[in-house]
């Protein structure tokens, strides 16, 4: 009984992985035919900077995406998104990839695929050396 259930689970997972690989190959062919890669981005300096006057994009994520698109022989199509909507943009086909500093969460990983992180970033606060208002972390909550 257990062996049958295990076999059924393995078979279902194998079918899912095979269909996912086939879907990915089909999506890549669609991108190549279209000639553009729709790249979602979230303005978050210094990795992704949008000049408020010209709308020009710059930053390390933008440079990396441009290099990948050039290597693929495609043109970039930039689509501004947010941390709250990028996954929906990927799922709905509005964007093909997203370049942003996004933390992998279980819920996000259930909806989209992630690459290996290019770097890890922590949270920190910076104050003037002579500013003595923040001696303990709890002091950050004071007005």
């Amino acid at each position: 009984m257990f062996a049958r259930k295990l076999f059924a689970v393995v078979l279902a997972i194998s079918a899912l992985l095979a269909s996912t690989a086939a879907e990915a190959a089909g999506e890549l062919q669609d991108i190549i035919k279209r000639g553009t890669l729709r790249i979602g981005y979230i303005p978050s300096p210094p990795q992704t900077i949008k000049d408020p006057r010209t709308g020009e994009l710059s930053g390390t994520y933008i440079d990396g995406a441009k290099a990948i698109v050039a290597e693929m022989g495609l043109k970039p199509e930039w689509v501004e998104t947010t941390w709250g909507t990028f996954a929906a943009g990927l799922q709905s086909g509005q964007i093909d990839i997203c370049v942003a500093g996004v933390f992998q969460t279980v819920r996000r990983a259930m909806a989209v695929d992630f690459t290996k992180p290019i770097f890890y970033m922590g949270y920190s606060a910076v104050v003037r050396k002579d500013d003595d208002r923040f001696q303990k972390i709890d002091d950050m909550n004071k007005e």
Side-chain angles (χ1 to χ4, degrees), residues 7-133:
F7 179 73
V9 169
V10 169
L11 187 61
I13 290 172
S14 297
L16 177 63
L17 291 175
S19 68
T20 302
E23 286 176 25
E27 289 173 10
L28 181 58
Q29 291 306 311
D30 291 344
I31 290 166
I32 292 168
K33 280 184 199 171
R34 190 173 61 235
T36 61
L37 185 65
R38 295 178 299 222
I39 305 168
Y41 70 93
I42 301 169
S44 53
Q47 287 79 23
T48 306
I49 304 163
K50 183 176 181 181
D51 186 306
R53 291 185 311 251
T54 65
E56 184 75 23
L57 297 174
S58 62
T60 52
Y61 292 164
I62 301 301
D63 293 343
K66 285 179 179 178
I68 291 168
V69 171
E71 187 76 22
M72 294 176 74
L74 302 172
K75 293 181 181 176
E77 182 180 325
W78 302 102
V79 180
E80 188 170 334
T81 188
T82 68
W83 280 284
T85 60
F86 81 92
L90 287 165
Q91 289 178 313
S92 67
Q94 293 173 348
I95 57 177
D96 301 309
I97 66 169
C98 185
V99 292
V102 177
F103 290 102
Q104 293 184 28
T105 65
V106 172
R107 291 184 61 88
R108 286 179 179 155
M110 291 171 65
V112 298
D113 289 327
F114 288 89
T115 63
K116 291 181 181 179
I118 57 173
F119 69 90
Y120 295 95
M121 186 174 78
Y123 293 108
S124 60
V126 179
V127 297
R128 289 187 321 271
K129 187 175 184 176
D130 62 348
D131 191 336
D132 61 358
R133 294 177 295 162

